[in-house]
Amino acid sequence: MPNDWEERYQSGDMPWEKGEAAPGLVDFLAARPGLARGRVLVPGCGTGHDARVWAAAGFAATGCDISPSAIRLAVEKTRAAGLTAEFILGDFLGDAPPRPFDWIFEHTLFCAIEPDRREDYAAAVVRWLKPGGGYLAVNYMIPDTEGPPFGTSRGEIVARFSPHFDLREEWVPRSYPNRKGLERMFWWRRRG
Ligand SMILES: C[S@@+](CC[C@H](N)C(=O)[O-])C[C@H]1O[C@@H](n2cnc3c(N)ncnc32)[C@H](O)[C@@H]1O
């Protein structure tokens, strides 16, 4: 897979980098202090804001990214924050997981990959997640076919994940100002 992402980190062309975790994730964790703790994977973690929020909430957080510079920045920022999280360089779509996870948190990876890789993406979520595990996604509900970011619809999301997952809840989250009203969160449970 060509790694244009690394070039973008090296040139500082990172419009997705908001300097903070996804607001919808922050609210999800704050509203559910009793969630069973476990191992969470953030694929396409970028500089690690979302992984750090899970770590700060008491989860064993792992971020995975295909870009070495993203991983380096994630490690540096996590150390500076005084938090503990693991960051691994890898291809979420192609690699075998080092171990299965209790949770996977999606935020701006699904919309970043080529749409013709979405079957591979869904298969990867099944592969990296334990049966019964939680798949929590912030999906970007834009119509764009030229990307990244590439858009999706509720119909596509439901059709793609329903074969392997039960939908627990869905809602419109609080978002960064430039994504207000354009995101939808889905909380799935892997069957099995
Ligand atoms: C749009 S950025 C979002 C980063 C982060 N989630 C955020 O919101 O700040 C997409 C990220 O996914 C990473 N990525 C793209 N393809 C990947 C793959 N196959 N496996 C792991 N990471 C990937 C890129 O390097 C990049 O960091």
Side-chain angles (χ1 to χ4, degrees), residues 74-132:
V75 168
E76 287 173 7
K77 287 174 186 281
T78 302
R79 192 177 298 132
L83 291 166
T84 301
E86 174 190 46
F87 292 96
I88 55 177
L89 179 63
D91 175 4
F92 175 66
L93 274 58
D95 291 354
R99 67 190 85 83
F101 288 85
D102 302 294
W103 287 89
I104 290 179
F105 175 63
E106 153 66 40
H107 174 217
T108 55
L109 176 60
F110 185 85
C111 68
I113 59 170
E114 293 291 328
D116 66 5
R117 305 270 344 252
R118 287 180 175 176
E119 274 303 315
D120 296 335
Y121 176 97
V125 177
V126 173
R127 193 167 68 245
W128 288 69
L129 191 62
K130 289 180 186 171

Side-chain angles (χ1 to χ4, degrees), residues 1-6 8-9 14-22 42-50 64-68 70-71 88-95 105-114 117 121 128 148-149 176 179:
M1 170 183 292
N3 196 347
D4 297 341
W5 293 103
E6 175 60 15
R8 296 193 65 170
Y9 279 99
M14 301 144 59
W16 59 82
E17 169 60 50
K18 304 298 184 196
E20 59 175 306
V42 182
C45 63
T47 66
H49 300 294
D50 299 323
C64 163
D65 205 286
I66 204 164
S67 159
I71 294 296
I88 55 177
L89 179 63
D91 175 4
F92 175 66
L93 274 58
D95 291 354
F105 175 63
E106 153 66 40
H107 174 217
T108 55
L109 176 60
F110 185 85
C111 68
I113 59 170
E114 293 291 328
R117 305 270 344 252
Y121 176 97
W128 288 69
Y176 304 121
R179 296 187 198 159

Side-chain angles (χ1 to χ4, degrees), residues 9-188:
Y9 279 99
Q10 288 196 11
S11 63
D13 178 19
M14 301 144 59
W16 59 82
E17 169 60 50
K18 304 298 184 196
E20 59 175 306
L25 171 62
V26 173
D27 293 351
F28 176 86
L29 291 173
R32 295 168 182 81
L35 275 186
R37 269 41 186 172
R39 294 186 179 282
V40 58
L41 175 76
V42 182
C45 63
T47 66
H49 300 294
D50 299 323
R52 281 188 291 281
V53 166
W54 284 96
F59 291 79
T62 298
C64 163
D65 205 286
I66 204 164
S67 159
S69 291
I71 294 296
R72 180 179 50 75
L73 288 167
V75 168
E76 287 173 7
K77 287 174 186 281
T78 302
R79 192 177 298 132
L83 291 166
T84 301
E86 174 190 46
F87 292 96
I88 55 177
L89 179 63
D91 175 4
F92 175 66
L93 274 58
D95 291 354
R99 67 190 85 83
F101 288 85
D102 302 294
W103 287 89
I104 290 179
F105 175 63
E106 153 66 40
H107 174 217
T108 55
L109 176 60
F110 185 85
C111 68
I113 59 170
E114 293 291 328
D116 66 5
R117 305 270 344 252
R118 287 180 175 176
E119 274 303 315
D120 296 335
Y121 176 97
V125 177
V126 173
R127 193 167 68 245
W128 288 69
L129 191 62
K130 289 180 186 171
Y135 171 53
L136 180 67
V138 181
N139 285 121
Y140 203 15
M141 314 305 284
I142 53 175
D144 307 40
T145 53
E146 303 288 321
F150 298 98
T152 188
S153 64
R154 182 183 182 279
E156 185 203 350
I157 294 291
V158 169
R160 205 169 277 289
F161 292 98
S162 291
H164 299 286
F165 301 86
D166 293 320
L167 185 55
R168 296 190 58 165
E169 289 179 34
E170 60 175 305
W171 64 96
V172 175
R174 185 169 63 88
S175 296
Y176 304 121
N178 71 332
R179 296 187 198 159
K180 203 166 172 220
L182 299 175
E183 295 179 317
R184 191 164 189 86
M185 286 187 74
F186 296 85
W187 181 11
W188 301 89

